[in-house]
Short mmCIF file of all heavy atoms in Angstrom, two decimals:
data_model
loop_
_atom_site.label_atom_id
_atom_site.label_comp_id
_atom_site.label_asym_id
_atom_site.label_seq_id
_atom_site.Cartn_x
_atom_site.Cartn_y
_atom_site.Cartn_z
N TRP D 1446 13.39 53.36 -65.19
CA TRP D 1446 13.28 54.81 -65.33
C TRP D 1446 13.50 55.49 -63.94
O TRP D 1446 14.18 56.39 -63.76
CB TRP D 1446 12.00 55.35 -65.94
CG TRP D 1446 11.61 54.60 -67.17
CD1 TRP D 1446 10.39 54.05 -67.43
CD2 TRP D 1446 12.47 54.24 -68.30
NE1 TRP D 1446 10.40 53.43 -68.63
CE2 TRP D 1446 11.74 53.51 -69.20
CE3 TRP D 1446 13.79 54.47 -68.53
CZ2 TRP D 1446 12.13 53.07 -70.42
CZ3 TRP D 1446 14.31 54.08 -69.82
CH2 TRP D 1446 13.47 53.29 -70.66
N LYS D 1447 12.98 54.77 -62.85
CA LYS D 1447 13.14 55.41 -61.53
C LYS D 1447 14.52 55.32 -61.03
O LYS D 1447 15.04 56.32 -60.48
CB LYS D 1447 12.27 54.46 -60.53
CG LYS D 1447 12.09 55.09 -59.22
CD LYS D 1447 11.00 54.39 -58.33
CE LYS D 1447 10.73 55.21 -57.06
NZ LYS D 1447 9.63 54.58 -56.31
N CYS D 1448 15.29 54.29 -61.38
CA CYS D 1448 16.69 54.21 -60.92
C CYS D 1448 17.48 55.30 -61.73
O CYS D 1448 18.32 55.81 -61.14
CB CYS D 1448 17.27 52.86 -61.21
SG CYS D 1448 16.62 51.55 -60.19
N ALA D 1449 17.16 55.47 -62.98
CA ALA D 1449 17.85 56.50 -63.79
C ALA D 1449 17.64 57.81 -63.28
O ALA D 1449 18.45 58.72 -63.21
CB ALA D 1449 17.49 56.34 -65.29
N VAL D 1450 16.37 58.13 -62.76
CA VAL D 1450 16.12 59.46 -62.31
C VAL D 1450 16.88 59.91 -61.08
O VAL D 1450 17.31 61.05 -60.98
CB VAL D 1450 14.49 59.52 -61.94
CG1 VAL D 1450 14.29 60.77 -61.00
CG2 VAL D 1450 13.64 59.63 -63.19
N VAL D 1451 17.17 58.97 -60.19
CA VAL D 1451 18.04 59.21 -59.00
C VAL D 1451 19.45 58.88 -59.16
O VAL D 1451 20.24 58.96 -58.24
CB VAL D 1451 17.31 58.69 -57.76
CG1 VAL D 1451 16.16 59.28 -57.35
CG2 VAL D 1451 17.17 57.16 -57.95
N ASN D 1452 19.75 58.50 -60.40
CA ASN D 1452 21.18 58.30 -60.68
C ASN D 1452 21.89 57.21 -59.83
O ASN D 1452 22.96 57.33 -59.36
CB ASN D 1452 22.04 59.53 -60.63
CG ASN D 1452 21.52 60.60 -61.66
OD1 ASN D 1452 21.72 60.38 -62.88
ND2 ASN D 1452 20.88 61.74 -61.18
N VAL D 1453 21.11 56.06 -59.60
CA VAL D 1453 21.81 54.97 -59.09
C VAL D 1453 22.18 53.98 -60.15
O VAL D 1453 21.45 53.97 -61.19
CB VAL D 1453 20.95 54.25 -58.04
CG1 VAL D 1453 20.68 55.14 -56.91
CG2 VAL D 1453 19.64 53.67 -58.57
N PRO D 1454 23.32 53.34 -60.09
CA PRO D 1454 23.74 52.51 -61.20
C PRO D 1454 23.09 51.11 -61.37
O PRO D 1454 23.76 50.03 -61.31
CB PRO D 1454 25.31 52.34 -60.86
CG PRO D 1454 25.27 52.35 -59.38
CD PRO D 1454 24.21 53.28 -58.93
N PHE D 1455 21.85 51.22 -61.48
CA PHE D 1455 21.00 49.95 -61.65
C PHE D 1455 20.10 49.98 -62.86
O PHE D 1455 19.68 51.11 -63.29
CB PHE D 1455 20.06 49.64 -60.45
CG PHE D 1455 20.82 49.30 -59.17
CD1 PHE D 1455 20.40 49.85 -57.94
CD2 PHE D 1455 21.87 48.45 -59.16
CE1 PHE D 1455 20.99 49.49 -56.81
CE2 PHE D 1455 22.55 48.15 -57.93
CZ PHE D 1455 22.05 48.64 -56.78
N GLY D 1456 19.84 48.94 -63.44
CA GLY D 1456 18.74 48.76 -64.38
C GLY D 1456 17.48 48.35 -63.71
O GLY D 1456 17.51 48.34 -62.42
N GLY D 1457 16.44 48.13 -64.50
CA GLY D 1457 15.20 47.83 -63.83
C GLY D 1457 14.87 46.36 -63.90
O GLY D 1457 14.95 45.73 -64.97
N ALA D 1458 14.23 45.86 -62.85
CA ALA D 1458 13.63 44.51 -62.85
C ALA D 1458 12.49 44.39 -61.99
O ALA D 1458 12.24 45.29 -61.21
CB ALA D 1458 14.78 43.47 -62.36
N LYS D 1459 11.71 43.29 -62.06
CA LYS D 1459 10.71 43.06 -61.21
C LYS D 1459 10.41 41.59 -61.14
O LYS D 1459 10.63 40.87 -62.13
CB LYS D 1459 9.38 43.85 -61.58
CG LYS D 1459 8.42 44.15 -60.40
CD LYS D 1459 9.06 45.28 -59.54
CE LYS D 1459 8.22 45.66 -58.44
NZ LYS D 1459 8.73 46.89 -57.70
N GLY D 1460 9.89 41.04 -60.03
CA GLY D 1460 9.54 39.72 -59.99
C GLY D 1460 8.20 39.39 -59.34
O GLY D 1460 7.68 40.35 -58.52
N GLY D 1461 7.70 38.33 -59.50
CA GLY D 1461 6.42 37.97 -58.87
C GLY D 1461 6.12 36.46 -58.77
O GLY D 1461 6.63 35.66 -59.52
N VAL D 1462 5.32 36.06 -57.75
CA VAL D 1462 4.91 34.64 -57.61
C VAL D 1462 3.37 34.76 -57.44
O VAL D 1462 2.95 35.56 -56.58
CB VAL D 1462 5.54 33.90 -56.41
CG1 VAL D 1462 4.98 32.63 -56.21
CG2 VAL D 1462 7.09 33.86 -56.69
N ARG D 1463 2.66 34.05 -58.24
CA ARG D 1463 1.24 34.08 -58.27
C ARG D 1463 0.77 33.16 -56.96
O ARG D 1463 0.77 31.81 -57.13
CB ARG D 1463 0.53 33.60 -59.45
CG ARG D 1463 -0.91 33.79 -59.47
CD ARG D 1463 -1.54 33.37 -60.82
NE ARG D 1463 -1.03 34.12 -61.92
CZ ARG D 1463 -1.39 33.83 -63.15
NH1 ARG D 1463 -2.10 32.84 -63.50
NH2 ARG D 1463 -0.91 34.62 -64.14
N CYS D 1464 0.40 33.73 -55.83
CA CYS D 1464 -0.02 33.03 -54.73
C CYS D 1464 -0.80 34.12 -53.86
O CYS D 1464 -0.64 35.24 -53.99
CB CYS D 1464 1.15 32.43 -54.02
SG CYS D 1464 2.28 33.64 -53.32
N ASN D 1465 -1.41 33.48 -52.76
CA ASN D 1465 -1.95 34.41 -51.78
C ASN D 1465 -1.25 34.20 -50.47
O ASN D 1465 -1.39 33.16 -49.85
CB ASN D 1465 -3.47 34.05 -51.50
CG ASN D 1465 -4.10 35.15 -50.67
OD1 ASN D 1465 -3.44 35.81 -49.87
ND2 ASN D 1465 -5.44 35.26 -50.76
N PRO D 1466 -0.25 35.06 -50.17
CA PRO D 1466 0.69 34.81 -48.99
C PRO D 1466 -0.19 34.75 -47.64
O PRO D 1466 0.31 34.09 -46.77
CB PRO D 1466 1.54 36.07 -48.97
CG PRO D 1466 0.88 37.01 -49.79
CD PRO D 1466 0.02 36.29 -50.75
N ARG D 1467 -1.33 35.31 -47.67
CA ARG D 1467 -2.20 35.26 -46.42
C ARG D 1467 -2.74 33.86 -46.16
O ARG D 1467 -3.06 33.46 -45.06
CB ARG D 1467 -3.23 36.27 -46.43
CG ARG D 1467 -2.80 37.74 -46.47
CD ARG D 1467 -3.98 38.68 -46.47
NE ARG D 1467 -3.46 40.00 -46.51
CZ ARG D 1467 -4.35 41.15 -46.45
NH1 ARG D 1467 -5.68 40.95 -46.40
NH2 ARG D 1467 -3.84 42.36 -46.44
N GLU D 1468 -2.85 33.06 -47.23
CA GLU D 1468 -3.32 31.74 -47.04
C GLU D 1468 -2.25 30.72 -46.87
O GLU D 1468 -2.56 29.47 -46.78
CB GLU D 1468 -4.18 31.37 -48.33
CG GLU D 1468 -5.41 32.20 -48.52
CD GLU D 1468 -6.17 31.89 -49.74
OE1 GLU D 1468 -5.73 31.06 -50.55
OE2 GLU D 1468 -7.30 32.37 -49.97
N LEU D 1469 -1.05 31.08 -46.84
CA LEU D 1469 0.16 30.21 -46.63
C LEU D 1469 0.72 30.30 -45.25
O LEU D 1469 0.81 31.39 -44.73
CB LEU D 1469 1.22 30.45 -47.73
CG LEU D 1469 0.79 30.35 -49.20
CD1 LEU D 1469 1.96 30.76 -50.11
CD2 LEU D 1469 0.31 28.97 -49.54
N SER D 1470 1.11 29.22 -44.68
CA SER D 1470 1.77 29.22 -43.38
C SER D 1470 3.16 29.75 -43.59
O SER D 1470 3.74 29.73 -44.62
CB SER D 1470 1.81 27.91 -42.80
OG SER D 1470 2.78 27.00 -43.47
N PRO D 1471 3.80 30.15 -42.45
CA PRO D 1471 5.19 30.60 -42.49
C PRO D 1471 6.12 29.56 -43.15
O PRO D 1471 7.05 29.87 -43.94
CB PRO D 1471 5.58 30.90 -41.10
CG PRO D 1471 4.34 31.32 -40.39
CD PRO D 1471 3.28 30.46 -41.16
N ARG D 1472 5.91 28.27 -42.81
CA ARG D 1472 6.71 27.28 -43.44
C ARG D 1472 6.56 27.06 -44.88
O ARG D 1472 7.46 26.84 -45.63
CB ARG D 1472 6.56 25.95 -42.64
CG ARG D 1472 7.01 25.96 -41.24
CD ARG D 1472 8.51 25.97 -41.13
NE ARG D 1472 9.15 24.86 -41.79
CZ ARG D 1472 10.45 24.87 -42.06
NH1 ARG D 1472 11.17 25.91 -41.88
NH2 ARG D 1472 11.02 23.80 -42.65
N GLU D 1473 5.30 27.12 -45.22
CA GLU D 1473 4.96 27.16 -46.74
C GLU D 1473 5.54 28.36 -47.47
O GLU D 1473 6.07 28.03 -48.59
CB GLU D 1473 3.43 27.06 -46.99
CG GLU D 1473 2.78 25.76 -46.48
CD GLU D 1473 1.32 25.80 -46.35
OE1 GLU D 1473 0.68 26.83 -46.30
OE2 GLU D 1473 0.63 24.72 -46.41
N LEU D 1474 5.43 29.51 -46.86
CA LEU D 1474 6.09 30.59 -47.49
C LEU D 1474 7.55 30.46 -47.68
O LEU D 1474 8.22 30.83 -48.64
CB LEU D 1474 5.75 31.88 -46.64
CG LEU D 1474 4.41 32.57 -46.88
CD1 LEU D 1474 4.20 33.64 -45.93
CD2 LEU D 1474 4.24 33.14 -48.30
N GLU D 1475 8.16 29.95 -46.60
CA GLU D 1475 9.64 29.73 -46.66
C GLU D 1475 10.00 28.74 -47.75
O GLU D 1475 10.88 28.94 -48.63
CB GLU D 1475 10.21 29.24 -45.27
CG GLU D 1475 11.65 29.03 -45.38
CD GLU D 1475 12.28 28.62 -44.06
OE1 GLU D 1475 11.53 28.52 -43.04
OE2 GLU D 1475 13.50 28.32 -44.06
N ARG D 1476 9.31 27.58 -47.94
CA ARG D 1476 9.59 26.65 -48.88
C ARG D 1476 9.31 27.24 -50.27
O ARG D 1476 10.15 26.92 -51.17
CB ARG D 1476 8.69 25.36 -48.70
CG ARG D 1476 9.07 24.54 -47.54
CD ARG D 1476 8.42 23.13 -47.40
NE ARG D 1476 7.06 23.27 -47.12
CZ ARG D 1476 6.47 23.16 -45.90
NH1 ARG D 1476 7.35 22.95 -44.88
NH2 ARG D 1476 5.22 23.07 -45.76
N LEU D 1477 8.21 27.92 -50.46
CA LEU D 1477 7.94 28.65 -51.70
C LEU D 1477 9.08 29.60 -52.13
O LEU D 1477 9.58 29.52 -53.26
CB LEU D 1477 6.67 29.40 -51.63
CG LEU D 1477 6.32 30.30 -52.76
CD1 LEU D 1477 5.92 29.45 -54.05
CD2 LEU D 1477 5.08 31.13 -52.38
#
């Protein structure tokens, strides 16, 4: 709905990974 409101030619999507990024090192975040 947000993309449609401002008339950009996109549909809507979302993604997620269940993790706590604050508990992961930069290398672990990169591998994830």
Side-chain angles (χ1 to χ4, degrees):
W1446 315 133
K1447 190 168 191 177
C1448 290
V1450 161
V1451 287
N1452 295 296
V1453 298
F1455 290 139
K1459 209 72 176 184
V1462 175
R1463 188 179 296 175
C1464 68
N1465 188 340
R1467 295 184 179 183
E1468 296 178 354
L1469 301 177
S1470 72
R1472 291 294 298 163
E1473 289 168 340
L1474 279 171
E1475 180 177 355
R1476 289 193 287 269
L1477 173 68

